Amino acid sequence: MPDLSEYQQLAKDMSVDAVALVPGPNFTRALVKPFMSNERPFVVVIPAEGVPAAIVPNLELGSWALVGFDGAVFDWRDQTGYDDAFAALAEHMPLRSLAVEGQVMRVFVSKAFTRALPNLRIVDAEREISGLRIIKTDDDIAALQAAIDISERALERVIADVRVGQTEVQIEQALIQALFAEGAASMAFSPIVTAGGNSAQPHGKARADYQIKAGDALLFDFGARKHGFAADITRTFFVAEASDEGRAVYDTVLRANMVGFEACKPGVTAHDIDNAVTSVLEASPYADRIRTKTGHGLGRDVHEAPYIMRGNEQIMRAGMVWTNEPGLYDLDNFGVRIEDDVLVTNDGCRSLTSFPKELTIIGR
């Protein structure tokens, strides 16, 4: 039986009857084996006292057996629906309050709970549940490092072959192939490969009809996933040549990125880091090009706590991992972003990414 004691303790601390987990990062962390999130309700309910129970789609019972779960299991089939399984859970565990992952549990699952338990109080405990994994273990950090190393090797392969006249989609496809060739289990997210004016869209999509040309900024934002953990790296290059404006903007973003490392240590807040980084951008001639916060936490999710933004007074602690990704974006002109994955240490921080950051011309 997986050790679910910290979730039981969380239920006690929050004064709720139980914590519910659905397929996603917290579910995988708790049960070790990943399961898909789809149209079929799949829930583990961990009470403050007593033995956990689960609602499991019947077609998943074979895989579920590998988890070694000793609690009650209520399975259901597509042909008959899941309401009877929720009713059986309610009879087995007559809950009055339930803490759930507010960013992960879907409405139809919460409605199934309240049909079975009309007086149930559902509490959004996203911050508390996900907070259990905000401090990374040594194994977590090793998995992150493996994903990052794969990503950096893939990027090195791809930029060596970039040529004027290629399309963004061609380069994106080469990057995806390189990620898997270097050992990625999957992609952390759909890569962002954008050039020219498209690079000024922070979450732009690769175009099949745009051929990169000399002078373009070419931005890569991507990551491999390995052992359940995600890398998230951004590097911006210039194709064949860089204009004076491109060099000046790049230098500004790089200085802001470096200030992020200088500002990071245990005891400072996420606000403190973002304020230091953003102040560099604001003091430049390009302040009107600021469109994003400095970064976000990274781990099993690509975006998780802590969120590195002004107004977030969350204290940084050793073992947290966050992305240091300042950027400047001039719509229809070009954008520059430089992103590193940063581990907070006992006396400061260190970069888990090592790909060079000096301005680089590719595709000559």
Side-chain angles (χ1 to χ4, degrees):
M1 178 77 165
D3 182 5
L4 302 174
S5 58
E6 60 183 343
Y7 298 96
Q8 290 186 303
Q9 186 59 53
L10 179 61
K12 294 174 186 176
D13 293 343
M14 294 190 68
S15 299
V16 295
D17 292 339
V19 169
L21 301 178
V22 295
N26 295 314
F27 190 101
T28 301
R29 176 181 180 271
L31 282 305
V32 180
K33 183 176 174 58
F35 288 86
M36 288 178 59
S37 177
N38 52 33
E39 77 279 9
R40 300 181 177 97
F42 196 157
V43 190
V44 173
V45 181
I46 307 158
E49 301 285 352
V51 180
I55 291 175
V56 181
N58 182 270
L59 81 171
E60 296 281 14
L61 285 178
S63 298
W64 184 247
L66 302 176
V67 171
F69 186 81
D70 291 336
V73 175
F74 305 99
D75 70 297
W76 61 275
R77 297 174 181 269
D78 289 346
Q79 295 84 347
T80 54
Y82 48 79
D83 277 346
D84 286 347
F86 278 87
L89 173 70
E91 184 176 351
H92 174 78
M93 195 182 289
L95 304 170
R96 296 161 299 174
S97 55
L98 182 66
V100 306
E101 305 162 90
Q103 293 181 18
V104 184
M105 181 175 281
R106 293 162 296 169
V107 172
F108 78 95
V109 178
S110 68
K111 285 186 176 297
F113 269 113
T114 54
R115 282 197 299 272
L117 294 157
N119 296 318
L120 181 66
R121 179 172 62 93
I122 293 180
V123 178
D124 181 357
E126 177 68 38
R127 181 184 179 99
E128 292 80 3
I129 294 171
S130 294
L132 294 174
R133 57 185 171 90
I134 198 169
I135 303 299
K136 273 51 181 180
T137 67
D138 289 345
D139 287 345
D140 295 345
I141 294 165
L144 275 165
Q145 190 66 68
I148 290 164
D149 292 346
I150 288 167
S151 304
E152 294 187 331
R153 293 196 302 268
L155 181 60
E156 186 173 15
R157 288 173 61 149
V158 170
I159 64 171
D161 292 331
V162 168
R163 296 291 182 269
V164 169
Q166 290 178 315
T167 68
E168 292 170 342
V169 165
Q170 287 175 323
I171 299 168
E172 177 189 59
Q173 291 173 342
L175 177 62
I176 291 169
Q177 291 169 2
L179 285 167
F180 285 106
E182 290 295 342
S186 62
M187 295 184 296
F189 54 95
S190 296
I192 298 169
V193 178
T194 52
N198 200 21
S199 65
Q201 300 287 347
H203 289 161
K205 303 297 182 185
R207 299 169 292 183
D209 61 352
Y210 181 80
Q211 296 177 314
I212 63 171
K213 62 182 187 298
D216 276 350
L218 179 59
L219 185 149
F220 294 82
D221 185 346
F222 71 105
R225 186 175 289 277
K226 190 72 172 178
H227 307 306
F229 283 78
D232 187 5
I233 302 168
T234 305
R235 290 294 185 268
T236 306
F237 305 95
F238 287 89
V239 179
E241 62 189 34
S243 66
D244 290 344
E245 180 190 19
R247 291 176 181 276
V249 170
Y250 192 95
D251 179 66
T252 301
V253 174
L254 181 57
R255 284 190 289 111
N257 172 274
M258 299 307 294
V259 165
F261 285 100
E262 295 168 7
C264 179
K265 61 182 179 181
V268 304
T269 67
H271 167 95
D272 294 331
I273 297 173
D274 184 49
N275 190 57
V277 172
T278 303
S279 292
V280 174
L281 304 179
E282 289 173 336
S284 77
Y286 312 108
D288 61 340
R289 303 185 186 189
I290 301 169
R291 300 188 182 278
T292 61
K293 60 182 180 292
T294 292
H296 52 81
L298 180 69
R300 292 183 181 274
D301 266 331
V302 178
H303 283 228
E304 60 183 45
Y307 297 96
I308 311 302
M309 58 188 295
R310 283 173 172 165
N312 183 5
E313 299 297 336
Q314 185 164 19
I315 301 291
M316 304 300 289
R317 297 154 57 200
M320 289 181 174
V321 175
W322 59 283
T323 64
N324 180 9
E325 50 178 306
L328 292 170
Y329 311 93
D330 185 12
L331 297 179
D332 299 322
N333 188 5
F334 70 93
V336 171
R337 179 164 67 252
I338 301 170
E339 178 181 18
D340 291 308
D341 302 336
V342 184
L343 172 66
V344 184
T345 63
N346 289 326
D347 56 359
C349 66
R350 67 179 173 90
S351 182
L352 300 177
T353 43
S354 59
F355 202 95
K357 290 187 286 190
E358 66 269 14
L359 188 147
T360 302
I361 308 294
I362 63 174
R364 294 183 186 275

